[in-house]
Amino acid sequence: MAEIQVVAFMVGNEEFCLDISKVREIKEMMPITRVPNSPDFVEGVINLRGQITTVVNLKKLLGYYDMDEDLSTKKIIIAEVKDEVIGIIVDSVSDVITLTDDQIDQPPKTLTSRVDIRYIKGIAKINDGERLLIMVDLDKLLGEEF
């Protein structure tokens, strides 16, 4: 049975995960330089060891808006998207989880007709389904934006 390791994180009240092979590191919030006329979900750029890196707010990209959001307590997941390094702001990072194929389901068909789920790889069930993680495909989520 194939296994996959994922990094679990929170955005709003929902728990998501990314394939660990896409994740380079997890950083504390750092100063972000805003870029004029950039899309709403792009917070700006950071200097990551000499490399200028775009930082996106996953909460805004997914449509969860919080106008009074304090970014100082957030985390930045440094990940690879289509051969580019990008920073992704999330509320918190919880753990690394090993999943097996039988723990991953496809999104329900009732969602597929009403919701844009192209970026959802699947939904992982942890602890007999007590904990659900939405598996994000960063290439599809950010591929059209960049």
Side-chain angles (χ1 to χ4, degrees), residues 16-97:
F16 294 84
C17 64
L18 289 174
D19 186 327
I20 201 165
S21 68
K22 295 280 186 188
V23 177
R24 284 204 177 168
E25 62 184 303
I26 297 164
K27 307 279 291 175
E28 297 293 325
M29 186 50 68
M30 56 198 324
I32 298 174
T33 301
R34 289 212 169 276
V35 177
N37 299 318
S38 59
D40 188 36
F41 62 87
V42 174
E43 292 293 335
V45 294
I46 57 174
N47 183 350
L48 187 65
R49 289 181 295 285
Q51 180 180 0
I52 301 302
T53 304
T54 302
V55 177
V56 300
N57 187 325
L58 194 56
K59 186 178 275 186
K60 288 181 181 177
L61 187 59
L62 295 174
Y64 298 104
Y65 279 87
D66 183 356
M67 295 305 167
D68 300 323
E69 188 171 36
D70 176 14
L71 293 181
S72 66
T73 61
K74 309 296 181 196
K75 302 285 186 220
I76 302 176
I77 297 175
I78 305 299
E80 270 187 54
V81 180
K82 294 195 173 186
D83 298 326
E84 290 281 326
V85 175
I86 193 164
I88 302 160
I89 297 173
V90 299
D91 291 338
S92 62
V93 177
S94 52
D95 49 359
V96 174
I97 301 166

Side-chain angles (χ1 to χ4, degrees), residues 106-125:
Q106 292 306 306
K109 286 189 171 43
T110 51
L111 271 185
T112 58
S113 62
R114 294 178 177 81
V115 180
D116 182 2
I117 61 160
R118 288 173 296 179
Y119 65 87
I120 299 176
K121 278 186 173 177
I123 298 176
K125 300 174 297 203

